[in-house]
Amino acid sequence: MQRSQRIRGLTGGGSDGWDVFLKARAMIADGIAVTELTIGEHDVRTAAPILQEMHRRAMAGHTGYAAVPGTSSLRDTVAARVQARTGVPTTRDNVVITPGGQAALFAAHMAACDPGDTALYIDPYYATYPGTLRGAGACPQVITAQAEDAFQPRAEALQAHAKAAASLLINTPNNPTGVVYSNATLRTIADVCREDDLWLISDEVYDTQVWEGQHVSPRALPGMAERTLVVGSMSKSHAMTGSRCGWIVGPEEVIADLITLATHTTYGVPGYIQDASVFALNLGEAFEADIAAPFRRRRAIARNVMARQNTLSLIPSQGAMYLMLDVRATGLTGEAFAYDLLEQHHIAVMPGESFGAAAAGHIRVAMTIEDDAFARALKTLCRHAEQLAA
Ligand code: PMP
């Protein structure tokens, strides 16, 4: 049987960027001890009180079909949270609950783009982006942010493609770079979206992980609430990656459309997961700071380790759970470096190339293991780079 062009073409024909990660997982399955610094997952599990609430609500019977748009209680909680953080009036009618941020990214592009429309995204990018955009029927068009601009996209680069596009996807704090967009960058993005009548899809799943400066949601910028779809998630902020609970915040009419889409695709998110998410969100900012604290600490550890060597350079980051290292002085590509490190030292990192051409010659290190082991792995990684460069 012929499989659809769409499904076969989802990764654009090449690798989808997960090869090193899969090799590391295969080594682990073979009993090899691998230090895993690949995917963005906390080393702590979902907190016991959140799980207890999930269990309590499931035992109380909240196991049937939940309301497709999301429970009123979770939609209200998300709306209040967004309004408190951005000052933009937000009600439950501006919120649809989705099975995680990933499903929200897909749904947002379904709402913003017709089949064949150009959907812009910025390189370096989270590895699923181009496939998600293709899956939604759009034609992904990349905009390059340069390492020498600290990976903040330039106005000219955005303007070059904006006229012909339907949407622009941004992600700040950024995966993979850890960069938080400056106010100037966000103003430029907002100007381009207004001038060329683009939807802005703003992936803010790392909004509680900011180490320097401040997270600004572009939905709060003048004239942007009517054209911005904010993607949020419980995954990173509350260490609830496996619970698959996220949302889109946007104008009421498009949220109504997205609810129709949910009826015909996901049919909602389990009620007991949503109840546990309300409970988790009500734990407040101190809890979110606790979840973020290990990454803040490890970023400081990494800066110390990196200051003692001069083969690799650390991309200055302000947020998220990752570090980007420029490995070009070793003479290797990011991919070759990652494979070499995995084979020789059993340390797994993601090649920059998995996140686009702009991140070639870099690696992404997830700060997701315990502090001492993290410091040791980084030191080994630096020594390995020094030997390669020598
Ligand atoms: N956006 C970005 C930038 C991410 O890094 C991730 C997960 N790694 C997601 C969205 C999706 O997260 P989830 O589906 O778990 O909410």
Side-chain angles (χ1 to χ4, degrees), residues 18 39-41 98-105 125-129 170-176 203-206 231-236 240-247 321-322 364:
W18 295 104
I39 59 168
E41 188 152 45
T98 62
Q102 183 59 52
L105 286 165
Y125 50 84
Y126 174 46
T128 66
Y129 279 4
I170 64 166
N171 170 223
T172 177
N174 188 267
N175 176 11
D203 179 344
E204 303 182 21
V205 303
Y206 294 101
V231 169
S233 171
M234 297 303 291
S235 288
K236 313 294 177 175
M240 290 177 68
T241 46
S243 289
R244 313 310 304 133
C245 189
W247 53 81
M321 49 172 80
Y322 312 100
R364 188 196 74 173

Side-chain angles (χ1 to χ4, degrees), residues 190-205:
D191 288 347
V192 168
C193 289
R194 278 191 311 262
E195 275 159 29
D196 289 307
D197 199 25
L198 299 184
W199 281 101
L200 179 63
I201 298 171
S202 179
D203 179 344
E204 303 182 21
V205 303

Side-chain angles (χ1 to χ4, degrees), residues 146-171:
Q146 316 275 358
E148 57 268 31
D149 296 334
F151 292 117
Q152 307 259 346
R154 287 188 193 177
E156 312 84 78
L158 292 162
Q159 283 154 354
H161 294 288
K163 286 239 171 333
S167 64
L168 167 64
L169 169 59
I170 64 166
N171 170 223

